[in-house]
Amino acid sequence: MVPSRSPVEWPGLGGADERRFGLLIIGDVGIEVRASLPDVRFTELDSDRLSYAPARAMVAGTAVNLARCATRYFRRVGVLGKVGDDDFTPVIRGELRRIGVEDHLRVEAGGANGVAVMLRDRPCGGGPGARLLVVRDDPPGRRLAEPEVRAASAGIAGADVLSTDGYALLSPVSRAALHAAARTARDAGTRVAFDLVPHDIDARLPAGAVLPMLALADLVVSEAPTLARLLGRPAPFSGRQVRGLLPELDRAVPGRPLWLLRFGATSLERVLAYRRDELLLEYPTGYGEGVERAGFGDRLTVCELYWWLSGS
């Protein structure tokens, strides 16, 4: 059945009128420093520079960022991830309590927490400015292990949906844990959602390391160019080109997951919703000039998850 409304139309990007469902998120948890440089372009730098600009430190990571948005839609939200054992750990746990998110964190004794630095330079030509993201190369999340996920099986079984992402695939240890979590969810009747990130995952992993997780998912969110490159196809940009990718998805991934394929000038302007042999709809996301990009993808994802679980 073709849905009568897109998720942007209902429940909308501002939150749901009625909070429903339980969501458990597996992803990265750490500390992030963000700064925007209003007077500097990266390409102009040829020596050291001191710049006074808006900057802040915050608890972040893929799991926390999604959880913050999800509390406006879901009745219960939990985060399962691996963190370090340093001065930032109580700060992380305190932030989860503050935003009303269940803490399923595993702690790596004696380990340091993951840290990321995000710098955005001066906008040019009406765009948002280039983003430089520097992430600790070996965060604790890459060592989330299968036994730790199995110990959280009750939390997985108690959720309506398990939300996962591709950063866990970057390490063989956390990849095995992610597969175990998805299988645990499926055995319990909990739906599995998967976000195909990082957006250059095709340059970091062979398709064979990614496709098994796609086969375990009931819903896949992806920028269409990322998925196309992973399958060895040219990156699509128009709706017609994205539709041309659909037979490749059916050949590469068994079953009938719901694909939410993002595309457009910045791969965030439009979405094509597709299930095997069933083109559901194409819709605008609301992203465009004047809309803050940071956090928009997470807002869209939780809106789509709620819409999907509601049977729209």
Side-chain angles (χ1 to χ4, degrees):
M1 183 178 70
V2 178
S4 60
R5 295 177 293 182
S6 78
V8 177
E9 293 172 307
W10 185 90
L13 295 173
D17 292 335
E18 178 188 4
R19 292 194 302 163
R20 302 168 59 199
F21 309 118
L23 169 67
L24 183 64
I25 306 166
I26 294 181
D28 285 346
V29 180
I31 300 296
E32 185 171 303
V33 178
R34 297 181 180 180
S36 297
L37 307 175
D39 60 345
V40 177
R41 292 284 294 170
F42 294 143
T43 54
E44 297 169 355
L45 292 175
D46 56 9
S47 63
D48 294 346
R49 176 78 65 92
L50 171 64
S51 180
Y52 289 96
R56 59 175 174 154
M58 60 189 298
V59 178
T62 59
V64 179
N65 295 342
L66 193 68
R68 280 198 182 96
C69 299
T71 56
R72 304 178 70 179
Y73 294 84
F74 289 83
R75 182 171 50 85
R76 288 186 300 107
V77 180
V79 166
L80 171 58
K82 193 159 193 173
V83 297
D85 181 19
D86 58 20
D87 291 343
F88 290 120
T89 307
V91 176
I92 291 169
R93 302 198 111 145
E95 177 64 5
L96 293 185
R97 287 193 299 271
R98 187 189 72 80
I99 63 177
V101 170
E102 296 172 5
D103 178 347
H104 297 273
L105 299 177
R106 286 359 189 203
V107 176
E108 184 175 60
N113 276 291
V115 177
V117 178
M118 187 182 80
L119 295 176
R120 193 177 290 279
D121 70 359
R122 186 185 74 234
C124 180
R131 185 178 70 163
L132 175 64
L133 185 62
V134 182
V135 182
R136 182 186 166 192
D137 59 358
D138 191 25
R142 301 297 174 269
R143 292 180 292 282
L144 180 68
E146 190 171 338
E148 293 172 310
V149 164
R150 296 201 181 282
S153 58
I156 295 173
D160 293 289
V161 60
L162 175 70
S163 178
T164 64
D165 67 64
Y167 284 99
L169 298 179
L170 299 179
S171 154
V173 174
S174 55
R175 187 187 311 153
L178 192 64
H179 291 174
R183 288 192 293 267
T184 298
R186 292 175 73 91
D187 290 345
T190 298
R191 298 195 211 184
V192 179
F194 178 70
D195 189 354
L196 187 60
V197 289
H199 300 306
D200 64 349
I201 196 170
D202 55 290
R204 299 174 183 273
L205 291 173
V210 180
L211 291 177
M213 187 59 208
L214 299 182
L216 289 169
D218 300 294
L219 178 146
V220 178
V221 174
S222 177
E223 291 188 354
T226 301
L227 196 51
R229 292 192 306 267
L230 186 72
L231 298 178
R233 309 298 298 175
F237 296 99
S238 68
R240 180 183 61 81
Q241 291 172 329
V242 175
R243 286 177 172 81
L245 179 64
L246 303 182
E248 300 289 341
L249 300 183
D250 290 343
R251 282 190 285 269
V253 180
R256 300 184 73 241
L258 174 62
W259 300 91
L260 298 179
L261 304 176
R262 298 177 180 176
F263 66 98
T266 68
S267 296
L268 194 51
E269 288 78 7
R270 301 190 67 81
V271 174
L272 188 71
Y274 170 74
R275 189 180 284 118
R276 184 184 297 268
D277 301 325
E278 187 180 7
L279 183 62
L280 299 180
L281 77 163
E282 179 183 325
Y283 54 91
T285 64
Y287 179 75
E289 186 175 351
V291 178
E292 173 61 43
R293 188 176 181 90
F296 187 89
D298 290 322
R299 289 169 53 208
L300 179 60
T301 296
V302 295
C303 169
E304 290 169 331
L305 289 175
Y306 186 95
W307 170 81
W308 172 54
L309 290 172
S310 298
S312 295

